[in-house]
Amino acid sequence: MSEEILVNVTPRETRVAVVENGMLQELHIERGWRRGVVGNIYKGKVQRVMPGMQAAFVDVGLDRAAFLHAGDVVRSATPANGDDLDLPPPTPAAATPILDLLRDGQDIVVQVVKDPIGSKGARLTTQISIPSRYMVLLPQSKVIGVSARIEDETERQRLKSLVSDLAETHGGHGYIVRTNAEGQSAEALADDIAYLSRVWNLIEQRSRDAAVGTCIYEDLTLPLRAVRDLMRRDVEKVKVDSRETCERLQAFAAKYMPVLAERIEHYAGERPIFDLYGVEDEISRALEKQVPLKSGGYLVIDQTEAMTTIDVNTGSFLGQRNLEETVYRTNLEAAQSVARQLRLRNLGGIIIIDFIDMNDSEHRRQVLRTLEKALSRDHAKTTVYEFSPLGLVEMTRKRTVESLERQLSESCPECSGRGTIKTTETVTYEIFREITRAVRQFDAARLLVIASPAVVARITDEESPAVAELEEFLGKSIRFQADEQYLQEQFDVVLL
């Protein structure tokens, strides 16, 4: 499989695209005025403990107070006092009452695990983790874990043994060995652990000296994170359209992944890099509700506050054998497309997929297997459940940042996000009712109605007999005025 990473840099926005076999699979966006805060570590202060929610709100210096659940707090070895900073050791607190863990006004070191989304503040944890190229440092733990994506048991044991020995010489902290560590030498792993130890020592020092609301550790910028997290051995090229950013990435790679550093290159072409690879067109299509399938079928994707629903339709696909075979083929293609769309649109939370009904249990099993296999390349954690009695597939996908739609779009000012607007006929009758209400409440000789051109055109044309009847019934003169600035549902009744 051919995979490339494209980095597009402009003064206020950086975008990273992951392209596999010529098709856009992932898009990451970072804007200068609104950088994500996931991974950042803050010195915060507990604003309010909420026993009924088993949670607390913490001021970390962001626009809104952040949310810290009791299950994300580790128990402190000694009771915290007002002057001491709470850097707790690794005792899980899932079943411990929040009042035994935190109190109002307490200083605490926390890490952001989920960006503020919509009206919700950031989600926090006190269980600190610091990622590097090959490792994730768990300073409050002693556990050594290995990524499940490293399947070779011999390699798993080698890595675990190496990291266990290295950890003992660097504070005895816990580590998670990342997928990128597969096949790496002991020297590379040692360098990574030494780097993480330096970072943690700096965080401990800053946590003692910093003021409340200060960010004491900030994750890398998007291009550097992309190289650290996305660049694997099967990535052929990383193309960057900014020479300065390219040099920075090459220096970073030379230090942490010298074998792959030569794959990072500057793109100096006249044509914008995203245009060259068709990424801009793919982004536009990723904002549409309907996704066409090659067979002629299509998906309809609806994102709501509670969940995302995906409906699969056969469309114009007629098949060549029988209905069951047609449905099966469409669902197989849809399963692969769904996995891609989830990555591309960065959809998370609860996801309900309404595949076309299949009678054959083996067909249902194969569709689920296809979906799970297609999701295996997803960096976000996913869980897929069996078909429900209603023929729906329920799944979850871990969400840490806003979806692509909510990063790039806002609610339509005309429909307020409903997706529909009232017809001109509906608005016309609302105007007639408002006129009657105004005349009964206030005394006026004449009335002026200001509305959108489409509504006024309907009133003065199709509804002119109704206007004449209304004028006669009320004994008032009514004039209508079209205003281009008015949306279809907007109008004003003015008493003259």
Side-chain angles (χ1 to χ4, degrees), residues 46-173:
V46 178
Q47 278 188 337
R48 188 180 180 189
V49 178
M50 309 286 287
M53 298 173 63
Q54 274 291 86
F57 289 101
V58 182
D59 177 16
V60 294
L62 301 176
D63 292 340
R64 292 190 294 272
F67 182 83
L68 175 62
H69 190 269
D72 295 318
V73 183
V74 289
R75 184 191 290 272
S76 183
T78 57
N81 60 59
D83 300 322
D84 295 333
L85 190 67
D86 185 16
L87 282 169
T91 305
T96 308
I98 190 74
L99 288 172
D100 293 344
L101 299 168
L102 302 172
R103 54 177 173 71
D104 292 354
Q106 175 183 341
D107 289 356
I108 188 170
V109 170
V110 289
Q111 185 170 34
V112 178
V113 293
K114 183 180 290 187
D115 272 329
I117 296 176
S119 60
K120 300 176 183 176
R123 179 79 181 255
L124 305 175
T125 182
T126 65
Q127 301 172 40
I128 307 299
S129 62
I130 306 166
S132 66
R133 174 61 180 166
Y134 304 120
M135 305 281 175
V136 177
L137 169 65
L138 307 175
Q140 299 151 326
S141 174
K142 302 290 185 182
V143 174
I144 305 296
V146 181
S147 168
R149 294 189 179 184
I150 300 177
E151 298 178 353
D152 184 271
E153 190 58 35
T154 304
E155 178 65 2
R156 292 176 64 85
Q157 290 303 322
R158 182 187 77 90
L159 291 170
K160 192 167 186 176
S161 175
L162 269 175
V163 174
S164 296
D165 293 342
L166 292 168
E168 287 301 319
T169 63
H170 289 85
H173 298 305

Side-chain angles (χ1 to χ4, degrees), residues 9 84 122 130 162 169 173 229 245 265 274 292 402 418 423 431:
V9 181
D84 295 333
I130 306 166
L162 269 175
T169 63
H173 298 305
D229 298 338
T245 302
E265 61 182 42
F274 274 25
E402 292 272 25
R418 295 197 314 265
T423 64
I431 290 173

Side-chain angles (χ1 to χ4, degrees), residues 198-238:
R198 290 194 299 271
V199 171
W200 177 240
N201 290 335
L202 185 60
I203 289 172
E204 286 190 302
Q205 178 186 334
R206 288 178 177 174
S207 67
R208 289 189 291 269
D209 303 336
V212 168
T214 300
C215 179
I216 56 179
Y217 168 80
E218 189 171 15
D219 203 2
L220 301 173
T221 60
L222 176 59
L224 293 173
R225 288 202 311 273
V227 169
R228 182 191 71 193
D229 298 338
L230 303 177
M231 194 171 178
R232 301 179 297 271
R233 292 182 182 275
D234 55 355
V235 173
E236 293 184 356
K237 292 288 183 183
V238 176

